[in-house]
Amino acid sequence: MQKRSALTAALSGKLPDGVKPDNKGRSSDSSTNLQSSVADLTSFPCLGFDVTQPLPTLPEASEASPTDHNNTVAGSAPTADSSLADYQLNPYRRRGGEERLPTAASLGADRDSWSKMGPRSFHSNFIGDATIGSLPRGLSVEERGKIMASTPLSPSLSSLSSMPLDQVTSRTREGQRARRRALKGAVIAFITAGYSGKRFIFERAQQLGIRSVVVDGPDSWVSELQKQGIIERHVGLDFADADTVFDRCLSALRKIQKDLGALDGLCTFCEMAVPLTARLSEHLGLPGNSAEAVDAARDKHQTRSIMGDCGLPTPRNMLINTPQEISAAAQHVGFPAVIKPIFGAASIGVVRVNSEEQLRTTYKKVQREMAAARIVDGALEQGAAAAEAVQEDGIIDQGKANSWIKTTLMLEEYLDGPEVDVDLVLSDGLAVYGAVTDNWPTVEPYFNETGSNSPSVLPLHQQQGLMDLAVRSVDALGLKQGVFHVEAKYTSRGPRLIEVNCRMGGGPVRTMNQLVWGVDLVEEHLLTAAGIPSRPPIHQRPQRPIAEFSVNAKKTGTLQHADFCEPWVTHGNVIYARPLVKAGQKVTSVEDGMPTWIAELMVQAPTVQQAISFVQRIEESLDIIVV
């Protein structure tokens, strides 16, 4: 007899085969009862759609009629005035949407402006690992309960309480309008703005009538948005004194409450700010995930331990704290394997290793890069780049990485098979939306992304297994609300989790979910931040089959011009075609290191296969000159 998946079991009101409830009514392999972890089948339209059947046909567009999405989709590069403080998108994590601290090398010609600001100003404007490491412990369930009990209803929830429950939880356009009415006028505080390519988030908040307050560094690019009336207030907070950031941020939020009225919600779209946001929400009695849950999700090794305790499939792994543990890790995990930091470490990413000898070499290299990272002219430089800067420019070493980076590494078995993103929306512990997007093969050994498509072309049983694992993983970690970007693979041994990101993915993620399934992840995250139920109306068939391509440099050298996308930008089925580098910039191919992204492309077509072929044809036609 075929075993039922957790999703099937949840929808039928029964636990999956082989899983027994504990004495608290929870399943033995998940932290919460699987019966209550899924809203309904309409949450997962990709599981009810057979990709072998014809997709809806888009009208043929002429090459002279640009799509109306061309100027509104999210970007993968900073867009703000270079004189302002701005995070950058981690080159290892474009789809993951993870920020990193800017480097002097990446600033290029803008480096002089940062030199004048000095190291103090750099520390003042960015949340780093030192800030995260200094945060207080998360509150207990009892402590959170006491604060919640003494916190009055926010204006949004007071408005919501006057509406019929069946209306505000209806998965209809009318229900969505009712939820938007409750959200209109809400005061929502954002903890940091992330990198300026996320400007669209605040524009959407403004469209929804939200009064946005952004707590960020004093010189943050978000100050531009206040001048333009897109946000109501930018609260400049000095992040330099890491040990006091939490208390000062809490005081700033309480002042906002006095000035603007009660806060309806607190949220972030920036990975570095997730732990701080969770703790602030707990202390203010606002909706949010517990600090314990988000900490567990950010720690790759703890995530694996929790999943193992819950009976969920997890890759073999072992921490390497010292070089003496390399042999034991190699024997336990085997090869091929992947070495990675248990926490993000700026642009230092994961690397595949195929033998113990290669593991020892790579371990030393990664440790050396992490230990050599330092602040140079107020900007973060890493490894050899930092050493060269000191030797050539005579710049004084202003700090080793040991004080702000956790240098513990983890060895994990290499996962074969196709990689996917599962974008989830949770509301009050229920999975109310989920979609699988296929990621294309990465550029190894750096795992650099190349492209993706939606809807997925994987067999339905594989998509169901991946969705099942994603829902059960966030469930096991104790996450309850918001948007989550879950990365996984369908291996020769079945679905396996890579990691859970406790916020929306980056780059093309929001656009693809919106165009294909009609779900705006920004809007749903803002609703849940205010405690308003999320029940997005979802297209049960994909509306616009999408493919996107991240163009990697094929040659190391200097880019001669950046107008190679121009022949395609006005094509009707091209959603965007834009360079990510400037003329005169040095780019790197995989033969010489982490490859540089040259451009990003996104197209639509009548079928997924046609979209994939079309975007690949565009990539092959680009006249990219590197010498």
Side-chain angles (χ1 to χ4, degrees):
M1 179 183 298
Q2 184 177 12
K3 288 190 174 183
R4 292 173 290 114
S5 73
L7 288 178
T8 303
L11 294 172
S12 67
K14 300 177 181 179
L15 292 173
D17 297 320
V19 177
K20 299 179 180 179
D22 63 14
N23 58 10
K24 295 182 180 180
R26 301 180 302 189
S27 64
S28 60
D29 71 341
S30 183
S31 63
T32 57
N33 194 329
L34 289 171
Q35 297 182 48
S36 62
S37 60
V38 178
D40 51 62
L41 263 180
T42 59
S43 301
F44 313 107
C46 61
L47 302 186
F49 176 77
D50 187 349
V51 76
T52 62
Q53 298 301 310
L55 291 168
T57 300
L58 292 173
E60 291 294 335
S62 69
E63 297 197 8
S65 58
T67 173
D68 57 359
H69 295 277
N70 215 25
N71 297 317
T72 59
V73 295
S76 293
T79 60
D81 182 340
S82 61
S83 66
L84 299 174
D86 194 356
Y87 286 94
Q88 294 181 330
L89 188 61
N90 188 334
Y92 291 89
R93 301 298 313 284
R94 177 172 168 259
R95 290 189 57 83
E98 178 182 277
E99 275 82 4
R100 68 167 184 169
L101 304 183
T103 66
S106 65
L107 290 171
D110 302 326
R111 179 172 175 170
D112 289 343
S113 63
W114 275 100
S115 299
K116 296 174 183 177
M117 299 175 76
R120 171 79 184 177
S121 182
F122 180 87
H123 289 301
S124 297
N125 283 287
F126 298 100
I127 292 179
D129 287 271
T131 301
I132 296 173
S134 69
L135 294 175
R137 66 169 181 82
L139 299 182
S140 67
V141 174
E142 292 74 16
E143 290 170 327
R144 293 199 301 270
K146 288 180 181 179
I147 293 175
M148 291 291 291
S150 62
T151 303
L153 281 181
S154 67
S156 291
L157 292 182
S158 295
S159 172
L160 194 71
S161 64
S162 65
M163 300 180 185
L165 181 62
D166 59 348
Q167 182 183 40
V168 298
T169 59
S170 169
R171 203 183 282 277
T172 62
R173 297 297 174 189
E174 292 74 19
Q176 193 75 351
R177 283 193 286 268
R179 293 186 285 274
R180 288 173 179 168
R181 286 196 298 272
L183 186 62
K184 187 174 183 179
V187 179
I188 293 183
F190 296 77
I191 306 303
T192 82
Y195 76 106
S196 56
K198 291 182 177 179
R199 175 190 174 101
F200 67 93
I201 293 169
F202 304 99
E203 292 174 336
R204 182 59 183 142
Q206 181 192 36
Q207 293 169 356
L208 292 168
I210 291 172
R211 301 170 64 192
S212 299
V213 179
V214 184
V215 180
D216 208 344
D219 304 307
S220 169
W221 67 272
V222 82
S223 60
E224 293 181 330
L225 301 187
Q226 180 175 337
K227 294 175 183 177
Q228 297 164 10
I230 295 172
I231 65 171
E232 185 153 336
R233 183 176 298 184
H234 163 222
V235 178
L237 188 80
D238 190 336
F239 293 117
D241 186 0
D243 292 340
T244 64
V245 165
F246 173 80
D247 291 332
R248 288 187 288 112
C249 196
L250 190 59
S251 296
L253 292 171
R254 285 176 172 152
K255 185 178 186 304
I256 291 169
Q257 289 179 312
K258 290 182 180 179
D259 294 347
L260 303 181
L263 280 174
D264 293 272
L266 188 66
C267 71
T268 188
F269 287 79
C270 176
E271 175 66 28
M272 298 296 288
V274 168
L276 174 58
T277 304
R279 287 161 171 80
L280 292 168
S281 297
E282 289 182 341
H283 281 260
L284 292 170
L286 293 171
N289 294 299
S290 71
E292 179 184 15
V294 300
D295 289 352
R298 294 189 79 250
D299 185 328
K300 298 177 179 66
H301 187 257
Q302 190 176 356
T303 297
R304 300 290 187 255
S305 297
I306 290 173
M307 293 185 65
D309 291 343
C310 293
L312 297 175
T314 184
R316 294 187 304 276
N317 64 89
M318 185 172 175
L319 291 181
I320 304 178
N321 295 289
T322 66
Q324 290 70 36
E325 297 174 343
I326 289 178
S327 291
Q331 291 178 8
H332 175 72
V333 175
F335 295 99
V338 176
I339 190 168
K340 60 179 71 174
I342 61 171
F343 291 103
S347 65
I348 301 172
V350 296
V351 181
R352 173 174 168 166
V353 290
N354 297 313
S355 66
E356 184 171 337
E357 179 182 2
Q358 188 178 7
L359 170 60
R360 290 184 180 278
T361 302
T362 304
Y363 176 84
K364 290 179 181 178
K365 179 182 178 182
V366 174
Q367 284 284 339
R368 187 164 56 247
E369 289 177 347
M370 295 170 76
R374 66 196 73 197
I375 300 300
V376 177
D377 276 355
L380 183 70
E381 287 286 19
Q382 295 184 20
E388 290 172 6
V390 173
Q391 292 171 4
E392 295 177 5
D393 301 334
I395 300 169
I396 297 174
D397 177 4
Q398 296 166 344
K400 291 291 184 71
N402 295 345
S403 63
W404 51 269
I405 281 183
K406 290 183 179 292
T407 56
T408 300
L409 302 178
M410 179 174 71
L411 187 70
E412 182 172 87
E413 69 172 300
Y414 173 78
L415 301 177
D416 60 5
E419 181 176 331
V420 303
D421 294 333
V422 182
D423 294 300
L424 293 176
V425 180
L426 265 61
S427 179
D428 295 323
L430 293 177
V432 297
Y433 170 72
V436 177
T437 298
D438 296 335
N439 287 339
W440 299 356
T442 56
V443 179
E444 294 191 8
Y446 301 99
F447 299 94
N448 210 30
E449 297 162 346
T450 56
S452 63
N453 60 266
S454 179
S456 171
V457 297
L458 294 178
L460 284 178
H461 76 277
Q462 292 187 11
Q463 292 189 52
Q464 182 164 349
L466 289 160
M467 184 71 71
D468 179 47
L469 178 63
V471 172
R472 294 173 72 185
S473 296
V474 297
D475 200 24
L477 290 167
L479 299 164
K480 300 296 182 184
Q481 69 166 57
V483 174
F484 301 90
H485 186 71
V486 182
E487 300 170 29
K489 276 191 172 187
Y490 199 92
T491 74
S492 55
R493 300 172 302 287
R496 293 292 185 272
L497 178 75
I498 297 174
E499 67 182 52
V500 173
N501 300 287
C502 299
R503 36 97 196 139
M504 186 179 73
V509 169
R510 186 246 188 162
T511 301
M512 294 181 78
N513 280 274
Q514 194 170 25
L515 295 185
V516 178
W517 303 110
V519 176
D520 184 350
L521 298 179
V522 172
E523 180 174 341
E524 300 311 315
H525 189 69
L526 294 172
L527 286 169
T528 61
I532 299 171
S534 170
R535 295 294 189 279
I538 306 171
H539 297 306
Q540 293 303 299
R541 290 177 64 83
Q543 299 301 295
R544 295 170 181 257
I546 298 288
E548 61 90 17
F549 202 119
S550 303
V551 181
N552 287 266
K554 297 179 180 179
K555 180 181 178 182
T556 298
T558 302
L559 184 70
Q560 299 302 295
H561 67 88
D563 57 0
F564 43 81
C565 289
E566 290 184 4
W568 294 100
V569 294
T570 58
H571 191 290
N573 282 347
V574 173
I575 298 170
Y576 58 69
R578 52 199 178 199
L580 295 175
V581 292
K582 299 177 181 178
Q585 182 175 332
K586 182 179 179 180
V587 298
T588 305
S589 68
V590 68
E591 287 79 12
D592 298 303
M594 173 71 181
T596 304
W597 277 315
I598 298 287
E600 57 183 355
L601 314 168
M602 181 181 286
V603 305
Q604 61 185 10
T607 70
V608 181
Q609 290 79 6
Q610 288 174 345
I612 293 171
S613 297
F614 181 32
V615 79
Q616 290 175 337
R617 179 162 62 90
I618 293 177
E619 188 272 338
E620 292 171 357
S621 74
L622 297 180
D623 183 26
I624 300 173
I625 302 176
V626 176
V627 296

